[in-house]
Amino acid sequence: DARVTQTPRHKVTEMGQEVTMRCQPILGHNTVFWYRQTMMQGLELLAYFRNRAPLDDSGMPKDRFSAEMPDATLATLKIQPSEPRDSAVYFCASGLQGMGNSPLHFGNGTRLTVT
Amino acid sequence: RKEVEQDPGPFNVPEGATVAFNCTYSNSASQSFFWYRQDCRKEPKLLMSVYSSGNEDGRFTAQLNRASQYISLLIRDSKLSDSATYLCVVNRDLYNNNDMRFGAGTRLTVKP
């Protein structure tokens, strides 16, 4: 059963530190998404890649967040420097472009706590 | 006003009850629709797609009303294991899945 894999599952860090989250999309999927979920805001789209190219990162605070996809099997989301308000669960999801009815498949998330 | 709105609940129902959730969307250009289920501290998982003619999967029935711009999810004979948050998802892009909009979720608790 193919799954999206995210690491780490949990991360606790101090304000000002760099945080890197990783995601391995499902093999063959050509779209990758980063979402952030908090109790107050629900699921927010941060960035979107298609065929490894970043297409939309309008939901991401550009001054501290960056998303990359160095190869088809790895997507990264980096926060530098981290702040307490970044505490949330970060989900990666993958899917198939060209199939509007194709759902997204989520990884199990990285629970980030910034103190 | 949010693009996808759901009643946050919580819905507390006894085992065996039938429960229905509605979700409204504001963009009439929306193309595809889904229900996801999210358990506490877990990732969202696809429950079912929603087709124009309505569709059923076991105890779950999904309906789409384009004229009124809402989708619904009906759960019959509810089980304890149905307790979760149900997310309504609307995709505005016919050819791509990059414009998915998530509702805030409806929380369901099924009690013995």
Side-chain angles (χ1 to χ4, degrees):
Chain A
D1 189 21
R3 294 180 61 88
V4 176
T5 303
Q6 286 186 250
T7 56
R9 290 293 305 275
H10 303 274
K11 177 72 176 179
V12 180
T13 191
E14 291 183 348
M15 184 172 69
Q17 296 298 306
E18 178 179 299
V19 175
T20 299
M21 292 168 269
R22 293 177 174 81
C23 168
Q24 180 176 1
I26 291 174
L27 189 64
H29 280 186
N30 58 359
T31 58
V32 173
F33 302 78
W34 283 103
Y35 285 90
R36 175 170 63 185
Q37 187 174 40
T38 61
M39 290 291 291
M40 296 300 294
Q41 298 294 331
L43 270 166
E44 302 173 273
L45 178 65
L46 297 175
Y48 158 59
F49 292 80
R50 186 167 73 216
N51 296 325
R52 294 177 53 203
L55 292 187
D56 183 0
D57 60 2
S58 58
M60 205 164 66
K62 304 284 191 308
D63 56 337
R64 299 183 300 107
F65 284 60
S66 61
E68 295 180 348
M69 204 162 172
D71 62 61
T73 64
L74 176 64
T76 61
L77 180 66
K78 193 172 293 187
I79 309 174
Q80 168 62 24
S82 57
E83 297 180 1
R85 60 180 167 151
D86 301 329
S87 298
V89 181
Y90 291 81
F91 288 108
C92 174
S94 70
L96 284 170
Q97 178 254 344
M99 298 176 65
N101 287 321
S102 172
L104 298 183
H105 299 264
F106 284 79
N108 48 24
T110 294
R111 185 171 296 274
L112 174 65
T113 303
V114 183
T115 61
Chain B
R1 183 180 171 218
K2 292 185 178 178
E3 186 162 341
V4 180
E5 299 227 44
Q6 296 182 247
D7 182 342
F11 284 65
N12 298 309
V13 302
E15 264 187 298
T18 294
V19 62
F21 309 135
N22 281 338
C23 165
T24 58
Y25 59 94
S26 59
N27 193 315
S28 59
S30 298
Q31 299 288 339
S32 54
F33 309 87
F34 308 90
W35 282 103
Y36 276 71
R37 170 199 169 123
Q38 187 172 22
D39 293 287
C40 188
R41 302 178 77 84
K42 300 279 191 179
E43 74 274 22
K45 291 184 178 178
L46 177 68
L47 179 65
M48 58 197 300
S49 302
V50 185
Y51 302 123
S52 296
S53 55
N55 48 300
E56 193 173 301
D57 183 1
R59 298 181 294 108
F60 298 84
T61 300
Q63 297 278 352
L64 167 64
N65 186 319
R66 284 191 186 271
S68 301
Q69 294 182 202
Y70 77 83
I71 67 173
S72 64
L73 178 67
L74 181 79
I75 305 175
R76 289 183 300 278
D77 187 24
S78 51
K79 312 290 185 192
L80 296 176
S81 57
D82 294 334
S83 297
T85 296
Y86 291 83
L87 302 169
C88 167
V89 185
V90 172
N91 185 15
R92 291 194 290 175
D93 191 325
L94 178 62
Y95 300 106
N96 299 291
N97 52 13
N98 64 307
D99 206 0
M100 300 262 191
R101 306 294 168 124
F102 284 78
T106 296
R107 188 167 174 185
L108 170 68
T109 301
V110 181
K111 301 192 173 185

